[in-house]
Amino acid sequence: MKRERKKYELELDPFACYKMEYIHDKAKANYESTNKWLYLGADARDQTFAKVGITMGDLASRSSSSANPRYHLFCAFKCDNDITMSVLEGIEKDVLNHLESIFLNPDGSTMREAHYESGRISECFYGVNFLELFCALHYCLYKKYGKYFVGSEFYEDDEFNFHAGNYLDCEFSPRISLMERSSYIRMILQPI
């Protein structure tokens, strides 16, 4: 999964003050950035698998696994262009711990998998309801760390319902149709 660089088309008003110039330049940098993501990986065959990870580089480097050819990125949340690696690592650690406290087996043990040889806890969850984890991940990021991510708005008026809300800018796998993307975004919308 590779996000193509998009050109920011909004021009700065020549009479803008330094505050407006700062806002414009920050929006441009965030819009055009193709780096700095917190992503959610999936397995095409195992719908109960999820992996949460981060990258300060291109998403293409995280969208496959030589150990598992069915692994792919389901989506990635775009971080603010100014975020540092230490802040992003802290967010990842906190979010993984939060998800670990929610996604538990009936006996109370975690669904977060440990590495086989070292026994260290991994970024992977098995046996989860994937879409519930997707929603819980977005909610935690939106509520606790929204200022570190690029926000977006969603408006949709179909013949039966009107949907509107805010969510974190999310790049979905190109294998996911536009209709499915809209459905997933509706799942994570936060009230305006």
Side-chain angles (χ1 to χ4, degrees):
M1 186 162 95
K2 180 174 174 66
R3 180 156 187 167
E4 298 298 323
R5 182 177 293 275
K6 299 174 185 173
K7 184 169 174 17
Y8 191 70
E9 300 290 341
L10 296 176
E11 295 295 325
L12 179 64
D13 183 331
F15 301 105
C17 66
Y18 71 95
K19 291 178 185 177
M20 290 303 294
E21 182 177 1
Y22 171 81
I23 292 169
H24 176 271
D25 292 348
K26 184 165 179 60
K28 182 179 189 314
N30 283 336
Y31 185 82
E32 292 181 348
S33 174
T34 59
N35 298 324
K36 302 181 182 181
W37 304 88
L38 189 142
Y39 61 84
L40 177 61
D43 185 314
R45 194 176 298 159
D46 182 357
Q47 302 299 311
T48 69
F49 168 83
K51 178 185 185 285
V52 176
I54 59 172
T55 183
M56 295 292 274
D58 188 0
L59 284 173
S61 68
R62 300 290 192 253
S63 63
S64 63
S65 166
S66 59
N68 180 356
R70 297 179 314 270
Y71 175 80
H72 63 97
L73 291 186
F74 173 76
C75 70
F77 300 101
K78 189 175 191 180
C79 299
D80 188 90
N81 195 51
D82 295 336
I83 197 167
T84 64
M85 182 58 145
S86 62
V87 169
L88 187 53
E89 287 172 339
I91 292 170
E92 177 192 35
K93 181 179 179 180
D94 185 57
V95 166
L96 283 166
N97 289 335
H98 174 72
L99 294 172
E100 181 179 5
S101 73
I102 295 172
F103 292 92
L104 302 170
N105 291 306
D107 66 0
S109 63
T110 183
M111 294 176 152
R112 188 172 170 193
E113 191 73 23
H115 290 279
Y116 179 74
E117 190 169 321
S118 70
R120 287 182 304 132
I121 200 76
S122 76
E123 302 168 329
C124 300
F125 293 81
Y126 287 89
V128 298
N129 178 315
F130 183 84
L131 292 178
E132 282 181 17
L133 190 137
F134 164 63
C135 292
L137 172 61
H138 179 271
Y139 186 79
C140 181
L141 292 174
Y142 186 88
K143 290 296 185 184
K144 287 182 80 173
Y145 301 106
K147 70 179 183 178
Y148 295 107
F149 290 83
V150 177
S152 200
E153 296 176 344
F154 181 83
Y155 299 95
E156 179 183 69
D157 190 9
D158 60 28
E159 62 183 276
F160 303 108
N161 293 305
F162 176 72
H163 304 279
N166 296 320
Y167 68 103
L168 300 180
D169 187 7
C170 188
E171 184 78 14
F172 286 97
S173 166
R175 306 247 351 210
I176 296 174
S177 73
L178 289 176
M179 184 183 286
E180 289 171 310
R181 291 175 200 199
S182 291
S183 171
Y184 296 141
I185 289 171
R186 285 192 302 272
M187 293 171 84
I188 59 175
L189 281 181
Q190 300 301 307
I192 295 176

